[in-house]
Amino acid sequence: MSSTSTEKTADASKKPWIGATTRLLLLGLVFHLAYIPIVFDCYFTSPVVNGMQQFVSPIAPAKRVVLIVGDGLRADLLFNTNAFPGIPHSPKVVAPYIRNIAEQRGAFGVSHTRVPTESRPGHVAIIGGMYEDVSAVTKGWKTNPVNFDSVFNQSSNTFSFGSPDILPMFAKGATPGKVHMWCYDEHEEDFTKDATALDEWSFNHLELLLRNASSDPELNRRLRSDRVVFFLHLLGLDTTGHSYRPHSKEYMKNIQVVDEIVEKTEKLLAAFYKDDKTAYIFTADHGMSNIGNHGDGDPDSTRTPLIAWGAGIRGPLADPRSASHDAYSVPWDLLHLVRRDVEQADIAPLMSVLIGGPLPVNSVGILPDIKDNKPGYLDQSLTDEDIANLAFVNAKVILEQYRVKHRLKATHSLFYTPFPGLRGEFEPGGDIVNFIDAQMRAEDWKAAKKTAGLLIKTTLQGLRYLQTYDRILLRAIATVGYIGWAAYSGIFLLRYHLNRRPMALNSSMILTALSAAVLLAFWAIFTLQSSPATFYIYVSFPVYFWHEVLQYMFFASPTEELDDDEESGSRWASFGKGTLYVLLVIWVLREMVHGYTERLIWGMGYIVIGLFWPFPPWSIFKPRGQLPLLMAWKVSTFVSAIFPFLPVEKTESVSMINFGAGLMILLEIFVMAFSSPEVRKTAPRGTFRYQIILIILSAILTSGSVRDLQAKQGLSKFNQWASWLILVLSVIEPFRVRKRIQDPIMRITSYFLGFGPYMIILSISEEALFYASFAGTLILWIAVDSSAEQNRLADLQSRGEDAKESTAKRGLRSGDLRIALFFLFFVQAAFFGTGNVASVSSFYLEPVYRLVPVFSPFLMASLLILKIIAPYVVLSAAFATLNDQLGLAPFSLFMVALTLTDGMTLAFFYNVRDHGSWLEIGQTISFFVISSLLLVWSAGVCAAGQWLMAGSLGSQSRTKIE
């Protein structure tokens, strides 16, 4: 038979594998995307319901309240003395006016935020008194994914000034005519300009509004009515912190500007109203990490300042033993005064009480003055009766939410069990409410306050009980679903990849009918309970998976036998070997799970791979003179191991960026120098020279842009557009010429060089170095593993043994499990190489300003995502090439990895926390989502690799790095 006909026969035999593999990958994609929301349905359901009765504050010590939010302001950098020691001639007190308020006229403390520490959920907590479920952030930014009540909506008039990203979300859904807003244009949010102009804009428009009142009677009437709210959203600190980081001179000066605005605002309103009926609240929606980011649970992002003063607010209280302080507030030099911390949602009921309005009906905030026996924020002249009435109102607001949720759950749930702590003859909690009423009638105010506090605590537990009511069911479904997927994909391997031909299955009508009955039963229950549509999807996958698994286990064709080209042995030996593989896989996956919190594990992984693979190396490589290849492999893994040991926090370094560009060029020289002569003859030298020129130009432009931005000269239009042009040209080039480059290693090198300028322009420090090291390791991985396979077959033939399979066509072997684990390692090591992708704080914005100086969140996010993708272009091409070099059908090695990934996913699912520290909550969510997307991402990597390398793969191509 001719070689051509042999190849056609081989291709034909692979078609069932490829078709079945494609279907499996599509099913896996749909399954894992569909199961990501299960963590939110299980742990973070929306707290918002409608139809609650309103309850009004019984006191109104102020006619108006002024809320000033310093977006992105950290508590320590506002309160600390000598907060900026690294800045020459920095003042001891950076915000003297605000500090004077804390020392002389008001109350202060820390407002603790929750994850995600972003502007939208932070403002919802401050103004609405509720914590959005974490998934709500993905449903909308400038508009509301859910309608919630707010202090603004319960005011007579709210006048708001600031960012177009924040203000509209409190105007939409509010009672028409209540919330008035003045927003600057989005293009004003320029990261290369002085962001304090944004804060000045807000104050100037407040000043203009009051000036216009003299000629506008209707505006004057609105301004002078009761229950007025002023809201100044000062975005400058957030913008400055992103651009220059919190410990910079720019951030310090922005705090000083905010301090001046607070002073000018108070004087302006005092001159306009000429009374003492204005209350002031100064706080922040979130803080900022040392590297200028927020979003996760970093303590610097969750601790924000809170200062209150004016009408209805107490003055400073002495704390002779500093009992209210801890190590965090020691540098404040305020240990002699009471520090009163609150949860961020507690600010909303405080504002409502100050102006005597209804508390937001969705609020779960607790007025600080009724939380415990510690002093709160309200004026100390309030009587015990006033405090008891406030506590009762606060309790009824939260209890009303429980009652509405209780009715909804009782109406739609089968076998519903109410929360045992809230009993009542007619309504949940009715017995406790009647008891408080009796205490109030008896004028036992302190006892009534205490009982109301217990009612609040119990009701919050009841709300949590209702929100987690379906958790056991969803956890069970998720467990059966993920295990079912692993079993299903394992069965797929047995049917299609471990055999010469697909294994036939005998259908079972009984099993199919039973599976359908189980599915319909669940659907019927969900229908009766009015469960979300996602529940129907969640349960469908495990039913299908286990139907297929059980069908294989009991009805597979007994005539098929598995192939195994490994040396045969006893059953006990095979069992022992299989057990060893299982334990190895469990240990590796366990370490990968730990790697999400300990980045150094990825560095240790590189070292272990370099030390122990190949093992024993000398007998395989030494006789063939391949020790230089082996040593290059070990050096590359050890160099790559350095990066996970480096700290996540980085400073902008032009020298490191240029060093990365130089290493990219050296890698191209290495590949050319050590490739075989026949490969060098066909190498695309012209393309490589062009790409190297673009790398050099990108390094030059980046150096210039960094100097200009650091000198605050703004971004040169020439540098900006030239960088964009080089970026586009460099990325397009490898795709333009890819069909002309037939050699796999040369094509991989072209992709690597093509994304080089992109990595250089968007690097802040050693990212370009990591990219070059990572690519070099992958290229050597191909060379080492393919050479080891060739050497193994040569040894078999030299001993006169007949190898069952050639490298042109073979099935999977147990040894391929090691390659699949390597692949999973490289997929995740690329994420954690220079940062912690599980933490928002590892994304730096400075490099993005070299291309986009004006605030554009989606374009900036896209650039950062593409920066993450760049190493995966090389990984995808390398893995497809290795799969082919080993003579396997496309996606064969990935199919092995497919059965392993959800061990990590399920572990992260059970580790998700919705309580505890904000850092723990945010990290556990991130870990689960990343792990869930691992299969989807890996499948995309493999599919991209097949496309990128199309035309260069085939059994006839055996590239060697010598």
Side-chain angles (χ1 to χ4, degrees):
M1 183 180 293
S2 67
S3 61
T4 303
S5 60
T6 302
E7 291 174 6
K8 288 181 178 180
T9 303
D11 291 340
S13 66
K14 290 182 180 180
K15 286 183 179 180
W17 295 6
I18 296 174
T21 298
T22 302
R23 290 192 295 272
L24 180 72
L25 291 177
L26 290 175
L27 178 61
L29 172 68
V30 173
F31 167 64
H32 284 83
L33 289 178
Y35 258 47
I36 287 177
I38 200 170
V39 72
F40 300 113
D41 286 334
C42 185
Y43 295 98
F44 302 99
T45 53
S46 174
V48 177
V49 289
N50 298 308
M52 282 81 71
Q53 179 183 349
Q54 289 185 342
F55 295 92
V56 181
S57 167
I59 65 170
K63 295 185 65 175
R64 67 201 68 89
V65 65
V66 181
L67 173 64
I68 305 175
V69 175
D71 198 308
L73 177 59
R74 284 169 46 161
D76 58 339
L77 296 184
L78 177 74
F79 286 126
N80 279 7
T81 56
N82 299 311
F84 298 88
I87 300 174
H89 311 296
S90 60
K92 180 179 179 181
V93 176
V94 70
Y97 189 78
I98 293 176
R99 184 178 181 87
N100 178 264
I101 291 172
E103 290 184 311
Q104 303 294 332
R105 295 192 286 140
F108 72 93
V110 174
S111 170
H112 294 278
T113 73
R114 289 190 183 181
V115 170
T117 48
E118 297 288 353
S119 293
R120 177 196 161 80
H123 282 90
V124 170
I126 293 170
I127 301 167
M130 55 162 276
Y131 299 107
E132 286 187 315
D133 59 300
V134 180
S135 63
V137 181
T138 66
K139 300 173 185 174
W141 181 251
K142 296 181 183 178
T143 57
N144 297 336
V146 290
N147 290 320
F148 56 89
D149 196 14
S150 71
V151 175
F152 293 177
N153 188 51
Q154 298 299 343
S155 67
S156 63
N157 287 276
T158 292
F159 303 93
S160 55
F161 309 85
S163 169
D165 298 326
I166 298 300
L167 270 55
M169 61 191 246
F170 294 101
K172 181 180 179 181
T175 303
K178 276 193 176 183
V179 181
H180 316 278
M181 61 180 184
W182 289 263
C183 305
Y184 41 75
D185 191 83
E186 291 180 350
H187 297 293
E188 296 297 323
E189 300 176 24
D190 190 333
F191 287 91
T192 66
K193 295 181 179 179
D194 187 355
T196 59
L198 302 178
D199 299 342
E200 295 286 0
W201 188 99
S202 297
F203 172 76
N204 292 338
H205 279 72
L206 169 63
E207 187 177 35
L208 179 62
L209 175 77
L210 298 182
R211 192 182 308 131
N212 291 338
S214 61
S215 58
D216 187 338
E218 176 60 21
L219 174 60
N220 190 62
R221 184 191 65 78
R222 287 175 177 267
L223 286 169
R224 297 186 184 278
S225 60
D226 292 342
R227 287 169 39 198
V228 170
V229 175
F230 292 96
F231 173 41
L232 269 68
H233 176 234
L234 308 181
L235 182 64
L237 282 164
D238 185 71
T239 304
T240 302
H242 286 316
S243 299
Y244 302 103
R245 305 193 186 184
H247 290 285
S248 64
K249 179 177 63 177
E250 291 77 11
Y251 192 86
M252 180 191 73
K253 289 185 176 180
N254 207 145
I255 294 178
Q256 294 173 323
V257 170
V258 168
D259 187 58
E260 292 171 1
I261 288 176
V262 171
E263 180 180 9
K264 290 190 293 185
T265 299
E266 185 173 10
K267 291 179 178 178
L268 178 69
L269 293 174
F272 181 81
Y273 286 109
K274 296 182 175 60
D275 62 18
D276 58 354
K277 291 296 183 180
T278 306
Y280 296 87
I281 303 288
F282 178 82
T283 187
D285 51 349
H286 55 75
M288 188 163 290
S289 68
N290 288 334
I291 64 173
N293 285 325
H294 54 83
D296 63 351
D298 188 310
D300 288 327
S301 296
T302 62
R303 293 183 292 209
T304 62
L306 175 62
I307 304 98
W309 72 100
I313 305 294
R314 68 166 173 85
L317 297 176
D319 188 1
R321 296 185 179 181
S322 303
S324 62
H325 292 265
D326 56 19
Y328 178 67
S329 56
V330 168
W332 300 1
D333 285 350
L334 294 171
L335 299 180
H336 59 291
L337 300 176
V338 169
R339 164 187 161 187
R340 184 55 158 121
D341 289 10
V342 302
E343 302 295 317
Q344 195 171 43
D346 299 342
I347 299 174
L350 175 61
M351 289 192 292
S352 295
V353 167
L354 287 171
I355 57 175
L359 276 66
V361 296
N362 302 114
S363 171
V364 294
I366 306 173
L367 191 67
D369 298 73
I370 67 173
K371 261 189 170 183
D372 44 44
N373 293 322
K374 299 177 182 178
Y377 278 79
L378 293 176
D379 197 310
Q380 297 294 291
S381 63
L382 292 178
T383 65
D384 290 340
E385 180 181 2
D386 293 330
I387 298 297
N389 277 293
L390 289 172
F392 199 16
V393 168
N394 203 156
K396 287 191 283 188
V397 168
I398 300 175
L399 178 62
E400 183 69 8
Q401 294 178 67
Y402 174 85
R403 288 176 171 175
V404 171
K405 291 185 178 183
H406 162 81
R407 288 193 291 268
L408 289 172
K409 186 64 68 176
T411 303
H412 298 295
S413 296
L414 299 177
F415 316 112
Y416 171 65
T417 304
F419 179 64
L422 292 172
R423 294 186 178 91
E425 183 177 357
F426 301 105
E427 285 279 10
D431 295 346
I432 304 177
V433 170
N434 293 335
F435 184 61
I436 297 174
D437 274 329
Q439 291 175 319
M440 299 282 281
R441 288 194 298 273
E443 298 185 355
D444 192 352
W445 310 119
K446 291 186 177 180
K449 173 197 168 186
K450 183 177 180 180
T451 307
L454 291 174
L455 177 58
I456 290 174
K457 182 178 180 181
T458 304
T459 305
L460 290 174
Q461 293 173 347
L463 287 172
R464 177 171 176 79
Y465 171 82
L466 294 180
Q467 282 192 269
T468 61
Y469 191 80
D470 296 319
R471 183 168 295 183
I472 295 177
L473 173 63
L474 287 175
R475 277 181 167 176
I477 291 174
T479 302
V480 176
Y482 283 119
I483 295 177
W485 166 256
Y488 177 73
S489 56
I491 294 302
F492 175 87
L493 279 178
L494 294 176
R495 289 186 62 192
Y496 286 95
H497 283 266
L498 293 179
N499 294 287
R500 295 292 188 186
R501 48 199 169 89
M503 181 179 290
L505 293 181
N506 300 317
S507 61
S508 169
M509 295 298 296
I510 296 177
L511 182 60
T512 302
L514 181 61
S515 301
V518 170
L519 181 62
L520 290 175
F522 272 105
W523 283 5
I525 293 173
F526 294 156
T527 301
L528 292 174
Q529 295 185 166
S530 299
S531 298
T534 51
F535 282 36
Y536 298 83
I537 300 173
Y538 297 151
V539 78
S540 300
F541 285 104
V543 170
Y544 173 75
F545 292 152
W546 286 106
H547 170 267
E548 294 297 306
V549 171
L550 293 175
Q551 184 167 272
Y552 175 84
M553 292 173 62
F554 296 107
F555 301 102
S557 172
T559 60
E560 298 287 349
E561 296 181 358
L562 300 181
D563 293 326
D564 189 4
D565 64 349
E566 305 287 349
E567 295 181 2
S568 60
S570 66
R571 290 186 177 181
W572 286 111
S574 299
F575 175 78
K577 186 176 181 180
T579 303
L580 181 62
Y581 275 129
V582 170
L583 293 176
L584 175 64
V585 169
I586 292 174
W587 178 78
V588 171
L589 292 178
R590 177 176 173 272
E591 292 305 308
M592 287 184 181
V593 168
H594 290 161
Y596 279 63
T597 52
E598 300 291 339
R599 287 180 61 243
L600 59 86
I601 287 179
W602 305 108
M604 294 301 298
Y606 276 113
I607 294 173
V608 170
I609 289 173
L611 285 176
F612 295 103
W613 174 252
F615 186 83
W618 313 112
S619 60
I620 300 174
F621 290 88
K622 186 175 180 181
R624 295 169 175 82
Q626 296 174 324
L627 288 184
L629 171 62
L630 182 64
M631 295 309 298
W633 159 252
K634 292 184 179 298
V635 169
S636 70
T637 55
F638 294 161
V639 171
S640 296
I642 296 173
F643 295 97
F645 287 95
L646 298 176
V648 173
E649 295 184 5
K650 299 174 176 63
T651 56
E652 204 165 33
S653 174
V654 174
S655 59
M656 293 297 290
I657 296 171
N658 291 335
F659 189 16
L663 189 59
M664 292 179 191
I665 297 172
L666 287 177
L667 181 58
E668 187 272 341
I669 295 173
F670 170 84
V671 172
M672 292 295 295
F674 289 92
S675 294
S676 59
E678 57 271 20
V679 170
R680 285 198 294 269
K681 289 180 182 179
T682 59
R685 296 180 183 273
T687 295
F688 286 173
R689 291 193 192 100
Y690 172 65
Q691 292 178 313
I692 288 174
I693 290 172
L694 292 179
I695 287 175
I696 295 172
L697 290 175
S698 65
I700 295 172
L701 286 170
T702 299
S703 299
S705 296
V706 170
R707 284 194 301 268
D708 291 345
L709 291 173
Q710 288 181 346
K712 302 180 186 64
Q713 297 175 357
L715 180 63
S716 161
K717 287 294 183 182
F718 174 81
N719 279 23
Q720 181 183 5
W721 291 111
S723 297
W724 272 109
L725 179 62
I726 289 176
L727 186 150
V728 172
L729 291 176
S730 65
V731 171
I732 289 176
E733 180 62 16
F735 298 97
R736 186 182 69 83
V737 300
R738 71 186 185 96
K739 292 185 178 179
R740 298 205 298 253
I741 305 176
Q742 294 302 310
D743 181 78
I745 296 298
M746 292 296 108
R747 190 181 290 190
I748 292 173
T749 304
S750 175
Y751 289 128
F752 162 71
L753 294 175
F755 280 85
Y758 193 98
M759 291 299 295
I760 292 168
I761 294 172
L762 290 178
S763 286
I764 189 171
S765 182
E766 69 266 8
E767 298 101 306
L769 274 171
F770 167 75
Y771 174 66
S773 175
F774 183 72
T777 301
L778 294 177
I779 291 173
L780 287 167
W781 181 34
I782 299 170
V784 170
D785 250 310
S786 58
S787 295
E789 174 70 7
Q790 294 292 330
N791 295 343
R792 186 189 69 84
L793 292 174
D795 287 342
L796 288 176
Q797 292 174 357
S798 66
R799 295 198 300 265
E801 299 179 19
D802 182 23
K804 290 184 178 181
E805 295 176 341
S806 70
T807 56
K809 177 188 174 186
R810 72 168 176 87
L812 288 167
R813 297 194 301 263
S814 56
D816 293 329
L817 181 63
R818 188 261 312 161
I819 302 177
L821 288 175
F822 276 19
F823 171 68
L824 287 179
F825 172 82
F826 284 126
V827 166
Q828 295 169 96
F831 278 130
F832 293 93
T834 57
N836 178 8
V837 79
S839 168
V840 180
S841 293
S842 64
F843 295 101
Y844 292 86
L845 291 177
E846 287 101 317
V848 182
Y849 303 153
R850 303 166 197 165
L851 296 169
V852 186
V854 177
F855 182 64
S856 178
F858 296 107
L859 179 55
M860 289 176 167
S862 300
L863 289 171
L864 291 173
I865 291 172
L866 287 174
K867 178 182 175 182
I868 296 173
I869 290 174
Y872 288 97
V873 175
V874 182
L875 176 59
S876 64
F879 193 57
T881 300
L882 180 60
N883 193 97
D884 178 71
Q885 295 281 318
L886 297 179
L888 289 165
F891 297 101
S892 295
L893 291 172
F894 175 66
M895 291 298 105
V896 181
L898 195 68
T899 62
L900 309 176
T901 56
D902 282 336
M904 296 172 59
T905 305
L906 198 56
F908 285 129
F909 177 77
Y910 275 95
N911 286 338
V912 169
R913 301 184 62 177
D914 61 346
H915 61 281
S917 75
W918 298 279
L919 177 62
E920 292 170 334
I921 295 171
Q923 281 188 337
T924 56
I925 296 170
S926 300
F927 295 163
F928 170 77
V929 173
I930 292 171
S931 182
S932 297
L933 292 173
L934 183 61
L935 178 140
V936 178
W937 185 258
S938 302
V941 167
C942 293
Q946 292 295 322
W947 179 78
L948 292 172
M949 302 307 292
S952 69
L953 303 180
S955 60
Q956 76 282 358
S957 177
R958 290 289 176 263
T959 305
K960 284 193 176 183
I961 300 292
E962 297 179 339

